Amino acid sequence: MMTLPRYCQKPKAPPIKSQGIKTKLTPLILASVKWDGEGRWIEPFLGSGAVLFNIQPDKALISDTNRHVIEVYKMIQTGEMSSASLRQYLEREGEQLEARGEEHYYAVRERFNQLGSPFDFVFLNRASFNGVIRFNSKGRFNVPFCKKVNRFRLAYITKICNQVAWVAKILQDKDWIFLVQDWRETLASVLPEDFVYLDPPYIGRHTDYFNSWSDTEADELAEAIKELSCGFAYSMWKKNKYRENEHLIKHFSHYPCVIYHHYYHVGSTENLRNAMEEALIISPDFLAPNEKVHSEKELTQLSLL
Ligand SMILES: C[S@@+](CC[C@H](N)C(=O)[O-])C[C@H]1O[C@@H](n2cnc3c(N)ncnc32)[C@H](O)[C@@H]1O
């Protein structure tokens, strides 16, 4: 049985890229949470799946309102998308991209917006500008081309296919359920032995179809998780150069909180970077012993409040 805390020196990246991806944070989550693994790992805001696939719980309930990310993982689970079938697809589409350039990217984008194929979603996710996932108010994927016509070189295809193979292998012996649904529905089914990890969109930062997140919704979620019958960990930004996150002060000032710093780039050169302080709020009885947290090497600075 999978129990926490646990060490993981090198977290792996999943086949889907997304803004707000928490791959680098997973060692901290693994080391900071104390959980016996008896119930289900519940993740109502799956995103790329980076946390889930590095945690690898035995049982899980996973959801997101973005059906495209859920569909990719459901197809890997059923075998409809495999490392081999994705390779065949990416080799074919990559050749066409090289031959036809951006015209092909936009043709795939249009096809995806009509039909919603998970294979096309992976293609767009890897050939769009900065690997951003963004949908307009009508739910249409609208990110422009990254401008690299030879995007799908063999080494890059192999990298993506290896990520799919990694996920497929994990899924083989797991009791995991993937659902497209709102966080409220997911939290409604929580049982006392479960553990919930929550990583909602940042308040007011992303404004696309799947990532709008208002103060009201953030308040509602905060109230709901404080009422949960099981343990939880909640990721949220804490402080940047300009201000403190009032939301955390308002709702979680008395909760255990692991702080970590990360940098995000705001320009093209190394020195154009801003520090962001992030918080992992953990429900009181589920905080792992302190020294585990400090052994995490990937994080530049850490303190336990
Ligand atoms: C910050 S991302 C999660 C990132 C993820 N932890 C990772 O490592 O990639 C937030 C996710 O919440 C989803 N989301 C937004 N509103 C939602 C809602 N009302 N219910 C469920 N999921 C929602 C978005 O589609 C997005 O995938």
Side-chain angles (χ1 to χ4, degrees):
M1 173 153 327
M2 194 279 309
T3 59
L4 298 177
R6 211 172 72 215
Y7 292 106
C8 155
Q9 292 294 352
K10 265 195 155 226
K12 287 191 180 183
I16 295 175
K17 290 168 70 169
S18 76
Q19 49 276 55
I21 188 166
K22 295 290 190 302
T23 314
K24 285 189 179 158
L25 172 62
T26 49
L28 180 71
I29 298 170
L30 283 160
S32 315
V33 171
K34 188 180 70 181
W35 181 50
D36 61 14
E38 288 276 346
R40 297 163 302 171
W41 177 266
I42 301 201
E43 214 176 313
F45 303 94
L46 178 71
S48 69
V51 176
L52 174 75
F53 293 111
N54 281 290
I55 304 268
Q56 300 179 18
D58 301 312
K59 289 173 275 179
L61 172 62
I62 305 127
S63 60
D64 200 294
T65 44
N66 184 336
R67 70 184 165 89
H68 304 294
V69 293
I70 297 290
E71 283 304 320
V72 168
Y73 291 128
K74 278 174 86 167
M75 277 185 92
I76 299 177
Q77 193 178 40
T78 58
E80 288 164 276
M81 182 185 285
S82 65
S83 166
S85 61
L86 185 66
R87 175 178 292 281
Q88 207 178 31
Y89 164 90
L90 288 178
E91 282 180 1
R92 187 185 69 227
E93 297 297 329
E95 267 172 34
Q96 291 194 38
L97 185 67
E98 209 158 344
R100 297 172 60 206
E102 70 171 28
E103 190 190 319
H104 188 64
Y105 174 85
Y106 289 107
V108 175
R109 196 174 81 171
E110 185 50 36
R111 183 170 75 197
F112 170 74
N113 282 327
Q114 301 274 344
L115 306 169
S117 157
F119 283 86
D120 285 344
F121 182 64
V122 174
F123 173 95
L124 293 170
N125 182 232
R126 297 301 180 130
S128 64
F129 182 73
N130 274 348
V132 169
I133 298 181
R134 194 185 59 220
F135 293 81
N136 69 13
S137 58
K138 295 198 172 90
R140 288 173 64 87
F141 188 85
N142 67 354
V143 187
F145 181 41
C146 70
K147 304 258 187 228
K148 295 176 191 139
V149 293
N150 61 352
R151 184 72 175 140
F152 294 101
R153 285 187 296 257
L154 279 184
Y156 194 54
I157 292 178
T158 298
K159 182 177 165 181
I160 303 166
C161 292
N162 286 346
Q163 289 165 336
V164 168
W166 174 61
V167 163
K169 188 156 188 294
I170 295 170
L171 282 166
Q172 262 171 18
D173 61 348
K174 297 287 187 284
D175 179 4
W176 290 3
I177 294 172
F178 292 92
L179 295 173
V180 179
Q181 66 185 21
D182 185 79
W183 61 267
R184 292 168 189 84
E185 268 180 89
T186 305
L187 292 192
S189 72
V190 160
L191 299 169
E193 62 273 23
D194 296 335
F195 188 87
V196 184
Y197 171 66
L198 307 115
D199 183 20
Y202 282 177
I203 301 163
R205 271 179 96 208
H206 302 296
T207 50
D208 81 63
Y209 189 73
F210 292 110
N211 275 299
S212 61
W213 197 247
S214 64
D215 284 338
T216 316
E217 193 152 18
D219 284 344
E220 244 183 90
L221 176 68
E223 292 304 335
I225 61 183
K226 284 191 273 186
E227 296 295 318
L228 285 173
S229 59
C230 69
F232 69 82
Y234 176 39
S235 288
M236 184 49 56
W237 72 274
K238 184 169 189 303
K239 194 163 134 188
N240 63 20
K241 210 163 123 186
Y242 310 102
R243 61 194 177 105
E244 279 262 345
N245 188 344
E246 297 292 330
H247 170 79
L248 286 187
I249 300 167
K250 179 171 160 191
H251 291 285
F252 295 100
S253 53
H254 300 302
Y255 277 73
C257 172
V258 181
I259 308 290
Y260 58 104
H261 293 225
H262 93 120
Y263 293 91
Y264 61 95
H265 293 269
V266 290
S268 51
T269 64
E270 256 312 279
N271 48 12
L272 285 177
R273 47 187 219 156
N274 275 343
M276 171 75 97
E277 214 173 84
E278 308 252 6
L280 185 68
I281 309 287
I282 300 174
S283 48
D285 298 338
F286 293 82
L287 180 67
N290 195 350
E291 62 277 8
K292 307 267 188 199
V293 172
H294 286 284
S295 68
E296 169 44 42
K297 290 202 183 83
E298 290 223 33
L299 306 155
T300 48
Q301 236 184 324
L302 215 56
S303 61
L304 200 61
L305 292 183

